[in-house]
């Protein structure tokens, strides 16, 4: 009986400790994000509500940061107008927001070259891999836009699916 009581108490303490752990899912009560603007050359991502900048983050890009993504595996971050089209709460890079690459123009170009345009471009945190690579090389992704895990928690809360993202050279 004492053993059962001890095990029950231990299980309750573990459950209580787990419920007190900080969540990666934050809430956001500020103005709505109406557009994201990425300036690749400045390594900066801006969040706008109307014409007002409500957030700015330093970013890492694909491991070949110059030029527009054309094909799977080229290591480039796309350029152009896209949309946030999905979210991944279980990303290996902490949290992530999907970018609607490839668009019709991207896919058509790649197919005319007999190549795959690629897919799975995200704004994401670092996760374990990025925490190792980011201090060594700023542009370490396979074509995504990377921020710190803490920043990604804020971004994940701020941005809604359907938000336009303009990625400039």
């Amino acid at each position: 009986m004492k053993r059962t009581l001890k095990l029950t108490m231990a299980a309750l303490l573990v459950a209580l400790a787990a419920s007190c752990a900080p969540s990666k899912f934050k809430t956001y009560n500020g103005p709505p994000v109406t557009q994201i603007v990425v300036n690749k050359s400045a390594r900066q991502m801006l969040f706008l509500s109307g014409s007002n900048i409500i957030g700015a983050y330093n970013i890492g890009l694909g491991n070949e940061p110059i030029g527009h993504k054309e094909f799977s595996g080229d290591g480039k971050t796309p350029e152009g107008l896209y949309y946030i089209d999905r979210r991944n709460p279980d990303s290996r890079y902490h949290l992530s927001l999907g970018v609607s690459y490839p668009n019709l123009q991207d896919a058509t170009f790649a197919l005319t070259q007999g190549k795959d345009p690629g897919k799975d471009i995200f704004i994401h945190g670092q996760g374990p891999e990025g925490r190792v690579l980011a201090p060594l090389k700023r542009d370490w992704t396979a074509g995504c836009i990377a921020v710190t895990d803490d920043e990604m928690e804020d971004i994940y809360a701020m941005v809604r699916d359907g938000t336009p993202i303009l990625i400039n050279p």
Side-chain angles (χ1 to χ4, degrees):
M1 175 92 163
K2 284 185 179 181
R3 180 176 166 89
T4 304
L5 182 59
K6 285 182 182 179
L7 288 174
T8 302
M9 291 299 290
L12 286 172
L13 287 173
V14 168
L16 180 62
S19 69
C20 295
S23 173
K24 65 181 178 180
F25 301 106
K26 295 181 178 179
T27 57
Y28 175 71
N29 296 316
V33 175
T34 57
Q35 184 178 26
I36 302 167
V37 176
V38 174
N39 295 310
K40 288 173 52 175
S41 62
R43 303 299 190 282
Q44 187 176 57
M45 181 166 52
L46 305 173
F47 290 80
L48 286 82
S49 184
S51 60
N52 297 319
I53 297 172
I54 58 172
Y57 298 89
N58 293 321
I59 58 172
L61 299 169
N63 55 36
E64 294 294 333
I66 297 173
H68 173 60
K69 181 167 196 61
E70 296 178 319
F71 312 115
S72 177
D74 67 8
K76 296 181 180 181
T77 302
E79 296 171 357
L81 179 62
Y82 300 94
Y83 297 87
I84 300 302
D85 65 354
R86 62 201 181 281
R87 49 191 59 235
N88 184 355
D90 299 315
S91 172
R92 74 187 242 197
Y93 300 104
H94 192 57
L95 293 167
S96 61
L97 297 173
V99 175
S100 63
Y101 176 89
N103 61 25
L104 182 59
Q105 183 180 353
D106 298 321
T108 300
F109 175 77
L111 293 174
T112 63
Q113 304 300 306
K115 296 190 176 185
D116 177 357
K119 59 182 180 178
D120 291 337
I121 300 298
F122 288 88
I123 299 170
H124 62 66
Q126 293 177 317
E129 181 180 346
R131 283 191 289 278
V132 171
L133 294 174
L136 303 174
K137 185 176 180 187
R138 182 174 194 169
D139 298 319
W140 58 272
T141 77
C144 296
I145 300 163
V147 294
T148 69
D149 289 349
D150 286 341
E151 291 169 336
M152 192 61 220
E153 290 176 7
D154 294 335
I155 293 166
Y156 197 87
M158 291 171 65
V159 176
R160 299 288 159 244
D161 290 357
T163 302
I165 176 169
L166 179 61
I167 306 173
N168 297 312

